[in-house]
Amino acid sequence: MKTQTEKKIRELKKQKNAIILAHYYTPSEIQEVADYVGDSFYLAKIAKNSDADMIIFCGVSFMGESAKILNPKKKVLMPDISADCPMARMVKQGKIKEMRAKYEDLAVVCYINSTAELKCQSDVCVTSSNAVKIVKNLPNKNIFFIPDQNLGKFVAEKVPEKNIILNDGYCPIHVRISTEEVLENKKLHPNALVLTHPECEERILNLSDFIGSTAEIIDYAKQSKNSEFIICTEDGVKYQLERDNPNKTFHFTQTRPCCVDMKLNTLEKLLKVLETEENEIKINEEIINKAILPLDKMLELAK
Ligand code: 13P
Ligand code: SF4
């Protein structure tokens, strides 16, 4: 059944000159069939430069939206249009305006995990793999970092010369990881290195040997001479980690962080969307024209 579905997906995407992009948190069978698998930054770059007629984005809505904004002439579809990131809208109404009024020299730095409307009010977007570099290189002293407080804190630590004003958004999946379970894992696996996504809370980052985006975690594990790791991020990365490193062991925390929205992407829905071309991302032109500015600025500054 699965093989038949996969076969049809491969045939149809060829026929329709479509490419399938998938985030590392999507189910393994989606990652297997995708043309490009990566973190948010990598996938945004692929979407921007693609000359396929159609992009099928297996991820959550801010990713599909960013692909559409970066390449507005393309048809961008999602297997499940309801796959959303709860953090994407965690900025209180009026907060950006209030901050702009308070600080003359303010840059609003917007994590890509945000709605298109929030991007429209921002100066530059960042992802977890380029946030430090971009913030460091901004001429502004005062930075309002939205929506994620944890990535914001991580950046503030790395760029102490800036005044980083934090917002109160967070990822409900990553903040679930507790200090106790990381310590318990360290006790059980004393030789393991702790690799952590910066969306985790500061107390987890303080217990970590390496902090980075999903792609950076995967890359670190591959390059490392160590053979055992404790992974503090969403469990979708397990597929790639084990595929790249058959002789290494990866332990996950007991709460087993799982992003239910990412898991809404299934092979059946992917096939259906290829057949019907439904679930197209539509964004009005005015929003596209505004939201593309911080996204393009990110691509420029991250070079
Ligand atoms: P990456 O920037 O590592 O792709 O992370 C995106 C995300 O949603 C993490 O929760
Ligand atoms: Fe959003 Fe967290 Fe899911 Fe990433 S893991 S998409 S930040 S809810």
Side-chain angles (χ1 to χ4, degrees):
M1 168 66 180
K2 188 179 135 192
T3 337
Q4 198 52 23
T5 309
E6 267 188 39
K7 203 172 147 230
K8 280 196 211 152
I9 290 172
R10 290 185 203 281
E11 279 166 12
L12 263 180
K13 73 171 184 190
K14 213 162 155 192
Q15 231 177 70
K16 298 198 170 186
N17 189 26
I19 54 164
I20 300 172
L21 311 191
H23 191 268
Y24 285 126
Y25 293 165
T26 57
S28 53
E29 58 274 23
I30 293 283
Q31 297 188 44
E32 250 167 64
V33 84
D35 299 290
Y36 300 93
V37 184
D39 69 357
S40 319
F41 184 45
Y42 172 77
L43 295 173
K45 284 188 290 184
I46 297 288
K48 167 93 184 168
N49 300 316
S50 168
D51 54 12
D53 293 322
M54 203 187 284
I55 297 173
I56 318 287
F57 211 119
C58 305
V60 289
S61 51
F62 77 82
M63 296 178 175
E65 272 183 11
S66 299
K68 179 70 186 174
I69 294 163
L70 285 165
N71 210 335
K73 296 219 159 58
K74 295 281 175 244
K75 200 168 201 177
V76 180
L77 312 173
M78 288 182 66
D80 190 320
I81 204 90
S82 73
D84 195 12
C85 169
M87 177 162 63
R89 49 185 65 74
M90 284 188 194
V91 181
K92 287 189 190 85
Q93 194 81 26
K95 196 79 193 158
I96 298 178
K97 233 178 167 178
E98 185 192 317
M99 287 300 154
R100 286 208 192 271
K102 194 164 171 189
Y103 298 93
E104 213 175 284
D105 155 50
L106 186 81
V108 178
V109 175
C110 185
Y111 190 20
I112 198 167
N113 295 37
S114 51
T115 60
E117 287 75 14
L118 279 178
K119 289 182 176 78
C120 290
Q121 301 173 58
S122 305
D123 297 299
V124 62
C125 285
V126 295
T127 73
S128 58
S129 61
N130 59 34
V132 171
K133 180 177 178 181
I134 289 179
V135 170
K136 208 174 240 170
N137 288 325
L138 286 175
N140 318 59
K141 166 95 177 152
N142 295 304
I143 310 284
F144 183 34
F145 195 99
I146 57 167
D148 187 21
Q149 58 182 295
N150 294 306
L151 180 62
K153 267 185 217 159
F154 172 68
V155 174
E157 177 106 341
K158 297 275 178 202
V159 196
E161 65 275 23
K162 304 273 180 186
N163 175 35
I164 299 188
I165 304 136
L166 299 171
N167 177 57
D168 54 8
Y170 60 93
C171 162
I173 314 303
H174 283 81
V175 301
R176 225 182 279 154
I177 300 175
S178 73
T179 315
E180 293 69 32
E181 59 181 345
V182 176
L183 289 173
E184 179 63 20
N185 260 287
K186 276 166 88 85
K187 215 192 283 169
L188 287 170
H189 314 290
N191 297 322
L193 294 176
V194 181
L195 315 186
T196 299
H197 196 281
E199 283 177 18
C200 291
E201 289 178 315
E202 194 177 13
R203 54 208 169 96
I204 307 298
L205 305 196
N206 290 340
L207 296 171
S208 305
D209 297 289
F210 175 77
I211 301 156
S213 74
T214 47
E216 288 168 331
I217 288 175
I218 289 165
D219 197 44
Y220 185 95
K222 200 171 173 179
Q223 307 300 331
S224 172
K225 289 198 168 51
N226 218 65
S227 60
E228 231 184 317
F229 304 88
I230 297 161
I231 304 295
C232 298
T233 190
E234 210 271 350
D235 74 350
V237 297
K238 192 171 190 276
Y239 167 71
Q240 196 74 30
L241 286 168
E242 290 183 343
R243 207 178 78 162
D244 286 355
N245 310 283
N247 300 320
K248 297 184 180 178
T249 313
F250 301 96
H251 308 285
F252 280 77
T253 49
Q254 291 80 341
T255 42
R256 196 93 204 190
C258 175
C259 179
V260 283
D261 285 273
M262 287 283 187
K263 305 306 186 221
L264 288 173
N265 292 282
T266 65
L267 280 185
E268 289 67 29
K269 290 181 200 168
L270 174 52
L271 175 59
K272 185 157 180 249
V273 94
L274 266 167
E275 283 168 347
T276 61
E277 298 183 24
E278 62 188 11
N279 294 352
E280 185 177 353
I281 309 250
K282 301 245 194 235
I283 308 176
N284 87 43
E285 214 180 307
E286 202 186 323
I287 292 189
I288 291 191
N289 291 339
K290 279 191 192 157
I292 198 169
L293 302 174
L295 279 168
D296 270 344
K297 192 160 178 191
M298 170 185 80
L299 295 175
E300 182 57 35
L301 294 178
K303 265 184 199 158

